[in-house]
Amino acid sequence: MSPSTTPVRQSSVRAHNLALVLHTVANGANHPSRAAIAAATGLTRATVSALVDDLVAGGLLVEVDPPPRTGAGRPAAGLALTSTGPAGLGCEINVDYLAACVVDLTGAVRQRFAEHADQRPADPAHALAALGRLAARARLAAEADGLIVAGAALAVPGLVGDGGLVRVAPNLGWQDVDAVAALRAVPELADLPITVDNEANLAALGELRVSGGDPAFLYVSGEVGIGAGLVIGGELYRGVRGWSGEIGHVTVYPDGRECRCGSRGCLEQYAGQEALADDVPRAAAALGIALSAVVNLLDVPVIVLGGAYAPIFAALRDGIETELRRRVLTAGLAPVTLRPAALGADAAMRGAADTIIRGVREDPAAWLRARA
Amino acid sequence: MSPSTTPVRQSSVRAHNLALVLHTVANGANHPSRAAIAAATGLTRATVSALVDDLVAGGLLVEVDPPPRTGAGRPAAGLALTSTGPAGLGCEINVDYLAACVVDLTGAVRQRFAEHADQRPADPAHALAALGRLAARARLAAEADGLIVAGAALAVPGLVGDGGLVRVAPNLGWQDVDAVAALRAVPELADLPITVDNEANLAALGELRVSGGDPAFLYVSGEVGIGAGLVIGGELYRGVRGWSGEIGHVTVYPDGRECRCGSRGCLEQYAGQEALADDVPRAAAALGIALSAVVNLLDVPVIVLGGAYAPIFAALRDGIETELRRRVLTAGLAPVTLRPAALGADAAMRGAADTIIRGVREDPAAWLRARA
């Protein structure tokens, strides 16, 4: 135990309460009044009113028509997240596509642009410049709609190090690529804070946001490579250096096919998008063997199949479940639930945009300061 | 984000500060004075003195000779954890032994009893009665030394459910065994709070306590079965239902040897204690394959080999490292550190006893209330 002795300051109390009010509006019943927010949070009505005024003035909340009248007296105005305030720019580069989207504070996708083309022949600078142009178009279109893009996040199929450096992206053939600098070189993006993360991590976050119900699941992203994002207790587990989830390189057959990574028998060689086209039953069996290892090690009750797996979920399910029943020690005590991803191919890009939105929602005080 | 609006009460402030003072004495420089505790915690000297008086009166701290004089004035008395206060009773049943120990508040082992015999022929009630007698001897001997046993914890090689029910212990042949009731049936243990946990989890906690330095590691417990305990951020990760760490049933060779669990090619069949005796190089390769999966999935930087692996660590190391270099995607970016366990065969039992001690150290207020 390491007890904390940090004192609580007034400014941090206000920041905490601003986030609490915003959270209550975002997650509560539809269009709560100031009085309903006070009741839900335990704050006084006067405090809530002052906080709401600040959030309305700062363009994070809007007043909307009151909910249907249920008692005596004048109905109070309701509050909602604004759809013309801060927005997140989500970008993705993967082996066979580039994409960018803008998501507003309510979580709605307001712009979406994609280009399908094999990125492997392109050098990283060229590919990132093309993605930057796509992202710039998305930003300009969103801002023409009255949104304010608060930042950008990029999803990549690889290992990301400090400062957003892409250390290795085996299926793109990238090594030590400074993706942040490349995107910032696009004039329309030069002023934005830009972050980079693994695509499966971001897709897992996107899935967490839309699925709502599952606080613990493994999201498996089936692309040319295979990644995974592990959500535990409603939080993404990143590993000690941010390099968790490399399920594509879990050994399934120790003396099996050679992999681009230098190893043999990696899951990717049997269940990656290209192998998948050849032999779905073998892909399902290989996935089942690797996922059994995950469940034995981590006791994860739900597995979400995303990317190229989602549309063929029905064809994969039996083969995977057969291996889980055989190989998971606790299979008889508690079944593992398999389901297709809710977000489809856009999961990583949506998850990327959501990280920006979540930043604003978790610390509205910082947004208000920056806009003041 | 789910902001908390729980108010802080006076009684919880005192409980927090009692734990803070105890923590400071336990982890600080040797034998701090009241003034040194005040300086380290930010509490006033008057507050510290009142808290220390309560902890001394409650038998958790003792006053000791002052540290060597370094300035003017009368040297102040130092404070230390007591070695005659609360103690934890740790018990273990494994395939080939029974053991019990008592650990005092300072972490020192004060009593240790073990019996080596194959437990598989014994029915659970018989085995647990024998363990209970061993534990009773350890408790009586410790109490004759002036210790007060605060509770008991039992390590088992299996999956533990709610209320300490052992759901499955494949290598003991146990299913749904109420180990708590069986131990409590021993008259000398009837009054103790008793908990049950997986042996690898408890061994990982024991290792965490003695190793100090590593906030993230996988502890692998090589017994007849193989378990693992995952420590992340200085905390044990238990999985959603408490059933994580079943590395012994990770598939290494999908069409390989039949396992007692009903699957094929489980790690246990190649690197469990009985297979280990036959072929150390094959066991090392199998361990390396399974551990590569762990590192690919979880990005764990340190692997600690315990149980039967610790004494033959030198013979296993090369074979494991060869597989890690080949199969871990990030092997070229950041090496994985392998090391033998510090605690040896007693790790799980020590970890069990430590959970009792930690309970007292983290909530001394509850201990003081119970003794009052």
Side-chain angles (χ1 to χ4, degrees), chain A residues 1 23 237 241 243 245-246 249 254 264 296-299 327, chain B residues 1 23 237 241 245-246 249 252 254 264 296-299 327:
Chain A
M1 191 195 55
H23 176 82
Y237 170 72
R241 293 155 300 209
W243 298 337
E246 291 298 335
H249 300 282
R264 274 190 176 279
N296 277 321
L297 289 168
L298 294 174
D299 183 28
R327 300 186 187 277
Chain B
M1 190 196 55
H23 177 82
Y237 170 73
R241 294 158 298 210
E246 290 297 336
H249 300 282
V252 179
R264 272 190 178 279
N296 277 320
L297 289 167
L298 294 175
D299 182 27
R327 300 186 187 276

PDB file of all heavy atoms in Angstrom, chain A residues 1 23 237 241 243 245-246 249 254 264 296-299 327, chain B residues 1 23 237 241 245-246 249 252 254 264 296-299 327:
ATOM      1  N   MET A   1       0.832  -1.188   0.000  1.00  0.00           N
ATOM      2  CA  MET A   1       0.000   0.000   0.000  1.00  0.00           C
ATOM      3  C   MET A   1       0.873   1.247   0.000  1.00  0.00           C
ATOM      4  O   MET A   1       1.851   1.325   0.697  1.00  0.00           O
ATOM      5  CB  MET A   1      -0.852   0.015   1.268  1.00  0.00           C
ATOM      6  CG  MET A   1      -1.925   1.064   1.227  1.00  0.00           C
ATOM      7  SD  MET A   1      -2.605   1.343   2.878  1.00  0.00           S
ATOM      8  CE  MET A   1      -1.124   1.735   3.786  1.00  0.00           C
ATOM      9  N   HIS A  23     -20.226  14.380 -17.275  1.00  0.00           N
ATOM     10  CA  HIS A  23     -20.423  12.933 -17.252  1.00  0.00           C
ATOM     11  C   HIS A  23     -21.898  12.606 -16.980  1.00  0.00           C
ATOM     12  O   HIS A  23     -22.472  11.692 -17.580  1.00  0.00           O
ATOM     13  CB  HIS A  23     -19.533  12.350 -16.156  1.00  0.00           C
ATOM     14  CG  HIS A  23     -19.684  10.878 -15.936  1.00  0.00           C
ATOM     15  ND1 HIS A  23     -19.044   9.946 -16.712  1.00  0.00           N
ATOM     16  CD2 HIS A  23     -20.397  10.176 -15.016  1.00  0.00           C
ATOM     17  CE1 HIS A  23     -19.354   8.727 -16.285  1.00  0.00           C
ATOM     18  NE2 HIS A  23     -20.178   8.842 -15.253  1.00  0.00           N
ATOM     19  N   TYR A 237      -5.815  -2.563 -21.167  1.00  0.00           N
ATOM     20  CA  TYR A 237      -4.541  -2.962 -20.611  1.00  0.00           C
ATOM     21  C   TYR A 237      -3.494  -2.894 -21.714  1.00  0.00           C
ATOM     22  O   TYR A 237      -3.609  -3.564 -22.735  1.00  0.00           O
ATOM     23  CB  TYR A 237      -4.608  -4.390 -20.046  1.00  0.00           C
ATOM     24  CG  TYR A 237      -3.245  -4.899 -19.690  1.00  0.00           C
ATOM     25  CD1 TYR A 237      -2.584  -4.387 -18.576  1.00  0.00           C
ATOM     26  CD2 TYR A 237      -2.574  -5.810 -20.492  1.00  0.00           C
ATOM     27  CE1 TYR A 237      -1.299  -4.798 -18.268  1.00  0.00           C
ATOM     28  CE2 TYR A 237      -1.288  -6.234 -20.186  1.00  0.00           C
ATOM     29  CZ  TYR A 237      -0.662  -5.712 -19.075  1.00  0.00           C
ATOM     30  OH  TYR A 237       0.613  -6.113 -18.783  1.00  0.00           O
ATOM     31  N   ARG A 241       5.199  -1.816 -21.648  1.00  0.00           N
ATOM     32  CA  ARG A 241       5.778  -0.850 -22.588  1.00  0.00           C
ATOM     33  C   ARG A 241       4.783  -0.471 -23.685  1.00  0.00           C
ATOM     34  O   ARG A 241       5.158   0.114 -24.695  1.00  0.00           O
ATOM     35  CB  ARG A 241       7.054  -1.439 -23.207  1.00  0.00           C
ATOM     36  CG  ARG A 241       8.158  -1.604 -22.187  1.00  0.00           C
ATOM     37  CD  ARG A 241       9.155  -2.676 -22.579  1.00  0.00           C
ATOM     38  NE  ARG A 241       8.567  -3.981 -22.727  1.00  0.00           N
ATOM     39  CZ  ARG A 241       9.215  -5.129 -22.522  1.00  0.00           C
ATOM     40  NH1 ARG A 241      10.479  -5.112 -22.143  1.00  0.00           N
ATOM     41  NH2 ARG A 241       8.616  -6.271 -22.697  1.00  0.00           N
ATOM     42  N   TRP A 243       3.102  -2.681 -25.460  1.00  0.00           N
ATOM     43  CA  TRP A 243       3.241  -3.625 -26.557  1.00  0.00           C
ATOM     44  C   TRP A 243       2.491  -4.930 -26.311  1.00  0.00           C
ATOM     45  O   TRP A 243       2.907  -5.989 -26.801  1.00  0.00           O
ATOM     46  CB  TRP A 243       4.724  -3.899 -26.838  1.00  0.00           C
ATOM     47  CG  TRP A 243       5.459  -2.669 -27.250  1.00  0.00           C
ATOM     48  CD1 TRP A 243       4.925  -1.532 -27.806  1.00  0.00           C
ATOM     49  CD2 TRP A 243       6.869  -2.424 -27.148  1.00  0.00           C
ATOM     50  NE1 TRP A 243       5.907  -0.608 -28.045  1.00  0.00           N
ATOM     51  CE2 TRP A 243       7.111  -1.124 -27.659  1.00  0.00           C
ATOM     52  CE3 TRP A 243       7.941  -3.179 -26.691  1.00  0.00           C
ATOM     53  CZ2 TRP A 243       8.390  -0.559 -27.699  1.00  0.00           C
ATOM     54  CZ3 TRP A 243       9.218  -2.625 -26.738  1.00  0.00           C
ATOM     55  CH2 TRP A 243       9.430  -1.331 -27.240  1.00  0.00           C
ATOM     56  N   GLY A 245      -0.882  -7.502 -26.602  1.00  0.00           N
ATOM     57  CA  GLY A 245      -1.891  -7.807 -27.626  1.00  0.00           C
ATOM     58  C   GLY A 245      -1.360  -8.346 -28.934  1.00  0.00           C
ATOM     59  O   GLY A 245      -2.096  -8.417 -29.904  1.00  0.00           O
ATOM     60  N   GLU A 246      -0.097  -8.767 -28.986  1.00  0.00           N
ATOM     61  CA  GLU A 246       0.446  -9.272 -30.256  1.00  0.00           C
ATOM     62  C   GLU A 246       0.054 -10.736 -30.461  1.00  0.00           C
ATOM     63  O   GLU A 246       0.905 -11.611 -30.666  1.00  0.00           O
ATOM     64  CB  GLU A 246       1.963  -9.055 -30.306  1.00  0.00           C
ATOM     65  CG  GLU A 246       2.346  -7.591 -30.426  1.00  0.00           C
ATOM     66  CD  GLU A 246       1.827  -6.929 -31.712  1.00  0.00           C
ATOM     67  OE1 GLU A 246       1.598  -7.646 -32.705  1.00  0.00           O
ATOM     68  OE2 GLU A 246       1.635  -5.697 -31.702  1.00  0.00           O
ATOM     69  N   HIS A 249       1.319 -13.095 -33.316  1.00  0.00           N
ATOM     70  CA  HIS A 249       2.613 -13.770 -33.244  1.00  0.00           C
ATOM     71  C   HIS A 249       2.689 -14.782 -32.105  1.00  0.00           C
ATOM     72  O   HIS A 249       3.776 -15.253 -31.763  1.00  0.00           O
ATOM     73  CB  HIS A 249       3.743 -12.735 -33.213  1.00  0.00           C
ATOM     74  CG  HIS A 249       3.702 -11.887 -34.454  1.00  0.00           C
ATOM     75  ND1 HIS A 249       4.177 -12.342 -35.660  1.00  0.00           N
ATOM     76  CD2 HIS A 249       3.136 -10.687 -34.694  1.00  0.00           C
ATOM     77  CE1 HIS A 249       3.932 -11.423 -36.593  1.00  0.00           C
ATOM     78  NE2 HIS A 249       3.299 -10.409 -36.043  1.00  0.00           N
ATOM     79  N   PRO A 254       4.370 -25.010 -33.441  1.00  0.00           N
ATOM     80  CA  PRO A 254       5.783 -24.630 -33.216  1.00  0.00           C
ATOM     81  C   PRO A 254       6.687 -24.865 -34.428  1.00  0.00           C
ATOM     82  O   PRO A 254       7.653 -24.123 -34.620  1.00  0.00           O
ATOM     83  CB  PRO A 254       6.196 -25.496 -32.027  1.00  0.00           C
ATOM     84  CG  PRO A 254       4.924 -25.758 -31.288  1.00  0.00           C
ATOM     85  CD  PRO A 254       3.857 -25.847 -32.334  1.00  0.00           C
ATOM     86  N   ARG A 264       8.231 -19.059 -36.430  1.00  0.00           N
ATOM     87  CA  ARG A 264       7.507 -20.111 -37.157  1.00  0.00           C
ATOM     88  C   ARG A 264       6.177 -20.391 -36.476  1.00  0.00           C
ATOM     89  O   ARG A 264       6.093 -20.403 -35.259  1.00  0.00           O
ATOM     90  CB  ARG A 264       8.296 -21.427 -37.111  1.00  0.00           C
ATOM     91  CG  ARG A 264       9.319 -21.572 -38.180  1.00  0.00           C
ATOM     92  CD  ARG A 264       9.879 -23.004 -38.195  1.00  0.00           C
ATOM     93  NE  ARG A 264      10.798 -23.138 -39.319  1.00  0.00           N
ATOM     94  CZ  ARG A 264      10.429 -23.358 -40.580  1.00  0.00           C
ATOM     95  NH1 ARG A 264       9.140 -23.495 -40.876  1.00  0.00           N
ATOM     96  NH2 ARG A 264      11.320 -23.425 -41.544  1.00  0.00           N
ATOM     97  N   ASN A 296      -6.926 -19.232 -20.828  1.00  0.00           N
ATOM     98  CA  ASN A 296      -6.222 -19.920 -19.742  1.00  0.00           C
ATOM     99  C   ASN A 296      -5.325 -18.959 -18.952  1.00  0.00           C
ATOM    100  O   ASN A 296      -5.238 -19.045 -17.741  1.00  0.00           O
ATOM    101  CB  ASN A 296      -5.369 -21.063 -20.300  1.00  0.00           C
ATOM    102  CG  ASN A 296      -6.186 -22.335 -20.513  1.00  0.00           C
ATOM    103  OD1 ASN A 296      -7.051 -22.669 -19.715  1.00  0.00           O
ATOM    104  ND2 ASN A 296      -5.912 -23.033 -21.604  1.00  0.00           N
ATOM    105  N   LEU A 297      -4.687 -18.053 -19.643  1.00  0.00           N
ATOM    106  CA  LEU A 297      -3.769 -17.134 -18.968  1.00  0.00           C
ATOM    107  C   LEU A 297      -4.497 -16.005 -18.257  1.00  0.00           C
ATOM    108  O   LEU A 297      -4.082 -15.562 -17.195  1.00  0.00           O
ATOM    109  CB  LEU A 297      -2.787 -16.518 -19.984  1.00  0.00           C
ATOM    110  CG  LEU A 297      -1.733 -17.472 -20.533  1.00  0.00           C
ATOM    111  CD1 LEU A 297      -1.033 -16.848 -21.727  1.00  0.00           C
ATOM    112  CD2 LEU A 297      -0.712 -17.798 -19.433  1.00  0.00           C
ATOM    113  N   LEU A 298      -5.581 -15.508 -18.866  1.00  0.00           N
ATOM    114  CA  LEU A 298      -6.135 -14.235 -18.398  1.00  0.00           C
ATOM    115  C   LEU A 298      -7.557 -14.311 -17.878  1.00  0.00           C
ATOM    116  O   LEU A 298      -8.073 -13.323 -17.369  1.00  0.00           O
ATOM    117  CB  LEU A 298      -6.076 -13.207 -19.536  1.00  0.00           C
ATOM    118  CG  LEU A 298      -4.656 -12.834 -19.930  1.00  0.00           C
ATOM    119  CD1 LEU A 298      -4.683 -11.930 -21.140  1.00  0.00           C
ATOM    120  CD2 LEU A 298      -3.967 -12.136 -18.763  1.00  0.00           C
ATOM    121  N   ASP A 299      -8.221 -15.471 -18.053  1.00  0.00           N
ATOM    122  CA  ASP A 299      -9.581 -15.596 -17.525  1.00  0.00           C
ATOM    123  C   ASP A 299     -10.469 -14.464 -18.053  1.00  0.00           C
ATOM    124  O   ASP A 299     -11.100 -13.731 -17.284  1.00  0.00           O
ATOM    125  CB  ASP A 299      -9.523 -15.596 -15.978  1.00  0.00           C
ATOM    126  CG  ASP A 299     -10.890 -15.785 -15.346  1.00  0.00           C
ATOM    127  OD1 ASP A 299     -11.749 -16.413 -15.971  1.00  0.00           O
ATOM    128  OD2 ASP A 299     -11.076 -15.282 -14.223  1.00  0.00           O
ATOM    129  N   ARG A 327      -9.684 -26.921 -24.914  1.00  0.00           N
ATOM    130  CA  ARG A 327      -8.389 -26.462 -24.403  1.00  0.00           C
ATOM    131  C   ARG A 327      -8.444 -25.492 -23.221  1.00  0.00           C
ATOM    132  O   ARG A 327      -7.411 -25.199 -22.622  1.00  0.00           O
ATOM    133  CB  ARG A 327      -7.587 -25.823 -25.547  1.00  0.00           C
ATOM    134  CG  ARG A 327      -7.320 -26.807 -26.681  1.00  0.00           C
ATOM    135  CD  ARG A 327      -6.419 -26.258 -27.761  1.00  0.00           C
ATOM    136  NE  ARG A 327      -6.332 -27.183 -28.878  1.00  0.00           N
ATOM    137  CZ  ARG A 327      -5.511 -28.242 -28.923  1.00  0.00           C
ATOM    138  NH1 ARG A 327      -4.691 -28.478 -27.929  1.00  0.00           N
ATOM    139  NH2 ARG A 327      -5.525 -29.043 -29.967  1.00  0.00           N
TER     140      ARG A 327
ATOM    141  N   MET B   1     -15.011   7.489 -17.548  1.00  0.00           N
ATOM    142  CA  MET B   1     -14.718   8.038 -16.228  1.00  0.00           C
ATOM    143  C   MET B   1     -15.954   7.967 -15.348  1.00  0.00           C
ATOM    144  O   MET B   1     -17.051   8.273 -15.770  1.00  0.00           O
ATOM    145  CB  MET B   1     -14.285   9.492 -16.382  1.00  0.00           C
ATOM    146  CG  MET B   1     -13.727  10.073 -15.118  1.00  0.00           C
ATOM    147  SD  MET B   1     -13.677  11.867 -15.208  1.00  0.00           S
ATOM    148  CE  MET B   1     -15.355  12.248 -15.591  1.00  0.00           C
ATOM    149  N   HIS B  23       2.894   2.211   7.554  1.00  0.00           N
ATOM    150  CA  HIS B  23       3.592   2.040   6.283  1.00  0.00           C
ATOM    151  C   HIS B  23       4.947   2.753   6.301  1.00  0.00           C
ATOM    152  O   HIS B  23       5.949   2.226   5.810  1.00  0.00           O
ATOM    153  CB  HIS B  23       2.696   2.619   5.171  1.00  0.00           C
ATOM    154  CG  HIS B  23       3.287   2.596   3.801  1.00  0.00           C
ATOM    155  ND1 HIS B  23       3.275   1.476   2.998  1.00  0.00           N
ATOM    156  CD2 HIS B  23       3.909   3.566   3.087  1.00  0.00           C
ATOM    157  CE1 HIS B  23       3.864   1.759   1.847  1.00  0.00           C
ATOM    158  NE2 HIS B  23       4.252   3.020   1.870  1.00  0.00           N
ATOM    159  N   TYR B 237      -2.760  -9.645 -10.791  1.00  0.00           N
ATOM    160  CA  TYR B 237      -3.910  -9.663 -11.686  1.00  0.00           C
ATOM    161  C   TYR B 237      -4.565 -11.040 -11.588  1.00  0.00           C
ATOM    162  O   TYR B 237      -3.936 -12.047 -11.876  1.00  0.00           O
ATOM    163  CB  TYR B 237      -3.498  -9.373 -13.131  1.00  0.00           C
ATOM    164  CG  TYR B 237      -4.639  -9.635 -14.085  1.00  0.00           C
ATOM    165  CD1 TYR B 237      -5.716  -8.764 -14.123  1.00  0.00           C
ATOM    166  CD2 TYR B 237      -4.681 -10.769 -14.881  1.00  0.00           C
ATOM    167  CE1 TYR B 237      -6.805  -9.018 -14.943  1.00  0.00           C
ATOM    168  CE2 TYR B 237      -5.752 -11.034 -15.701  1.00  0.00           C
ATOM    169  CZ  TYR B 237      -6.819 -10.155 -15.726  1.00  0.00           C
ATOM    170  OH  TYR B 237      -7.904 -10.418 -16.521  1.00  0.00           O
ATOM    171  N   ARG B 241     -12.729 -13.909 -13.029  1.00  0.00           N
ATOM    172  CA  ARG B 241     -13.334 -14.808 -12.039  1.00  0.00           C
ATOM    173  C   ARG B 241     -12.281 -15.378 -11.105  1.00  0.00           C
ATOM    174  O   ARG B 241     -12.553 -16.318 -10.356  1.00  0.00           O
ATOM    175  CB  ARG B 241     -14.071 -15.935 -12.769  1.00  0.00           C
ATOM    176  CG  ARG B 241     -15.267 -15.415 -13.548  1.00  0.00           C
ATOM    177  CD  ARG B 241     -15.680 -16.337 -14.660  1.00  0.00           C
ATOM    178  NE  ARG B 241     -14.634 -16.510 -15.646  1.00  0.00           N
ATOM    179  CZ  ARG B 241     -14.857 -16.764 -16.945  1.00  0.00           C
ATOM    180  NH1 ARG B 241     -16.091 -16.853 -17.397  1.00  0.00           N
ATOM    181  NH2 ARG B 241     -13.864 -16.911 -17.778  1.00  0.00           N
ATOM    182  N   GLY B 245      -3.877 -17.316 -15.100  1.00  0.00           N
ATOM    183  CA  GLY B 245      -2.593 -17.930 -14.794  1.00  0.00           C
ATOM    184  C   GLY B 245      -2.500 -19.422 -15.038  1.00  0.00           C
ATOM    185  O   GLY B 245      -1.536 -20.052 -14.611  1.00  0.00           O
ATOM    186  N   GLU B 246      -3.461 -19.997 -15.761  1.00  0.00           N
ATOM    187  CA  GLU B 246      -3.404 -21.450 -15.986  1.00  0.00           C
ATOM    188  C   GLU B 246      -2.469 -21.775 -17.154  1.00  0.00           C
ATOM    189  O   GLU B 246      -2.856 -22.391 -18.152  1.00  0.00           O
ATOM    190  CB  GLU B 246      -4.816 -22.004 -16.203  1.00  0.00           C
ATOM    191  CG  GLU B 246      -5.655 -21.975 -14.941  1.00  0.00           C
ATOM    192  CD  GLU B 246      -5.083 -22.853 -13.816  1.00  0.00           C
ATOM    193  OE1 GLU B 246      -4.345 -23.804 -14.134  1.00  0.00           O
ATOM    194  OE2 GLU B 246      -5.360 -22.562 -12.652  1.00  0.00           O
ATOM    195  N   HIS B 249      -1.954 -25.255 -18.839  1.00  0.00           N
ATOM    196  CA  HIS B 249      -2.874 -25.792 -19.840  1.00  0.00           C
ATOM    197  C   HIS B 249      -2.892 -24.965 -21.118  1.00  0.00           C
ATOM    198  O   HIS B 249      -3.788 -25.107 -21.949  1.00  0.00           O
ATOM    199  CB  HIS B 249      -4.257 -25.991 -19.218  1.00  0.00           C
ATOM    200  CG  HIS B 249      -4.180 -26.949 -18.071  1.00  0.00           C
ATOM    201  ND1 HIS B 249      -4.093 -28.312 -18.264  1.00  0.00           N
ATOM    202  CD2 HIS B 249      -4.045 -26.736 -16.741  1.00  0.00           C
ATOM    203  CE1 HIS B 249      -3.948 -28.898 -17.073  1.00  0.00           C
ATOM    204  NE2 HIS B 249      -3.915 -27.969 -16.137  1.00  0.00           N
ATOM    205  N   VAL B 252       0.904 -26.169 -26.268  1.00  0.00           N
ATOM    206  CA  VAL B 252       2.219 -25.975 -26.870  1.00  0.00           C
ATOM    207  C   VAL B 252       2.331 -26.754 -28.177  1.00  0.00           C
ATOM    208  O   VAL B 252       2.827 -26.242 -29.178  1.00  0.00           O
ATOM    209  CB  VAL B 252       3.329 -26.378 -25.883  1.00  0.00           C
ATOM    210  CG1 VAL B 252       4.698 -26.203 -26.521  1.00  0.00           C
ATOM    211  CG2 VAL B 252       3.234 -25.538 -24.617  1.00  0.00           C
ATOM    212  N   PRO B 254      -0.324 -28.679 -30.550  1.00  0.00           N
ATOM    213  CA  PRO B 254      -1.777 -28.921 -30.651  1.00  0.00           C
ATOM    214  C   PRO B 254      -2.169 -30.389 -30.767  1.00  0.00           C
ATOM    215  O   PRO B 254      -3.223 -30.785 -30.282  1.00  0.00           O
ATOM    216  CB  PRO B 254      -2.172 -28.148 -31.911  1.00  0.00           C
ATOM    217  CG  PRO B 254      -1.163 -27.063 -32.024  1.00  0.00           C
ATOM    218  CD  PRO B 254       0.118 -27.650 -31.504  1.00  0.00           C
ATOM    219  N   ARG B 264      -5.081 -31.696 -25.311  1.00  0.00           N
ATOM    220  CA  ARG B 264      -3.854 -32.289 -25.845  1.00  0.00           C
ATOM    221  C   ARG B 264      -2.756 -31.240 -25.931  1.00  0.00           C
ATOM    222  O   ARG B 264      -3.025 -30.100 -26.286  1.00  0.00           O
ATOM    223  CB  ARG B 264      -4.094 -32.767 -27.285  1.00  0.00           C
ATOM    224  CG  ARG B 264      -4.628 -34.161 -27.394  1.00  0.00           C
ATOM    225  CD  ARG B 264      -4.596 -34.640 -28.830  1.00  0.00           C
ATOM    226  NE  ARG B 264      -5.076 -36.001 -28.889  1.00  0.00           N
ATOM    227  CZ  ARG B 264      -4.317 -37.068 -28.607  1.00  0.00           C
ATOM    228  NH1 ARG B 264      -3.040 -36.930 -28.302  1.00  0.00           N
ATOM    229  NH2 ARG B 264      -4.836 -38.276 -28.657  1.00  0.00           N
ATOM    230  N   ASN B 296       4.132 -11.995 -25.833  1.00  0.00           N
ATOM    231  CA  ASN B 296       3.449 -11.392 -26.976  1.00  0.00           C
ATOM    232  C   ASN B 296       2.091 -10.808 -26.572  1.00  0.00           C
ATOM    233  O   ASN B 296       1.707  -9.740 -27.040  1.00  0.00           O
ATOM    234  CB  ASN B 296       3.260 -12.418 -28.096  1.00  0.00           C
ATOM    235  CG  ASN B 296       4.505 -12.563 -28.955  1.00  0.00           C
ATOM    236  OD1 ASN B 296       5.170 -11.568 -29.278  1.00  0.00           O
ATOM    237  ND2 ASN B 296       4.828 -13.788 -29.338  1.00  0.00           N
ATOM    238  N   LEU B 297       1.378 -11.514 -25.717  1.00  0.00           N
ATOM    239  CA  LEU B 297       0.044 -11.052 -25.329  1.00  0.00           C
ATOM    240  C   LEU B 297       0.085  -9.936 -24.303  1.00  0.00           C
ATOM    241  O   LEU B 297      -0.731  -9.023 -24.342  1.00  0.00           O
ATOM    242  CB  LEU B 297      -0.773 -12.219 -24.744  1.00  0.00           C
ATOM    243  CG  LEU B 297      -1.213 -13.286 -25.744  1.00  0.00           C
ATOM    244  CD1 LEU B 297      -1.733 -14.519 -25.014  1.00  0.00           C
ATOM    245  CD2 LEU B 297      -2.302 -12.713 -26.660  1.00  0.00           C
ATOM    246  N   LEU B 298       1.038  -9.995 -23.360  1.00  0.00           N
ATOM    247  CA  LEU B 298       0.948  -9.136 -22.180  1.00  0.00           C
ATOM    248  C   LEU B 298       2.100  -8.170 -22.007  1.00  0.00           C
ATOM    249  O   LEU B 298       2.051  -7.328 -21.121  1.00  0.00           O
ATOM    250  CB  LEU B 298       0.843 -10.014 -20.928  1.00  0.00           C
ATOM    251  CG  LEU B 298      -0.430 -10.825 -20.858  1.00  0.00           C
ATOM    252  CD1 LEU B 298      -0.407 -11.750 -19.670  1.00  0.00           C
ATOM    253  CD2 LEU B 298      -1.636  -9.888 -20.783  1.00  0.00           C
ATOM    254  N   ASP B 299       3.147  -8.290 -22.837  1.00  0.00           N
ATOM    255  CA  ASP B 299       4.258  -7.348 -22.733  1.00  0.00           C
ATOM    256  C   ASP B 299       4.798  -7.309 -21.305  1.00  0.00           C
ATOM    257  O   ASP B 299       4.874  -6.249 -20.682  1.00  0.00           O
ATOM    258  CB  ASP B 299       3.777  -5.964 -23.204  1.00  0.00           C
ATOM    259  CG  ASP B 299       4.882  -4.919 -23.181  1.00  0.00           C
ATOM    260  OD1 ASP B 299       6.061  -5.291 -23.313  1.00  0.00           O
ATOM    261  OD2 ASP B 299       4.550  -3.728 -23.036  1.00  0.00           O
ATOM    262  N   ARG B 327      10.479 -16.146 -30.913  1.00  0.00           N
ATOM    263  CA  ARG B 327       9.022 -16.073 -30.991  1.00  0.00           C
ATOM    264  C   ARG B 327       8.402 -14.796 -30.437  1.00  0.00           C
ATOM    265  O   ARG B 327       7.203 -14.561 -30.635  1.00  0.00           O
ATOM    266  CB  ARG B 327       8.399 -17.287 -30.290  1.00  0.00           C
ATOM    267  CG  ARG B 327       8.835 -18.597 -30.922  1.00  0.00           C
ATOM    268  CD  ARG B 327       8.141 -19.813 -30.349  1.00  0.00           C
ATOM    269  NE  ARG B 327       8.719 -21.037 -30.894  1.00  0.00           N
ATOM    270  CZ  ARG B 327       8.364 -21.572 -32.067  1.00  0.00           C
ATOM    271  NH1 ARG B 327       7.438 -21.001 -32.802  1.00  0.00           N
ATOM    272  NH2 ARG B 327       8.959 -22.669 -32.511  1.00  0.00           N
TER     273      ARG B 327
END
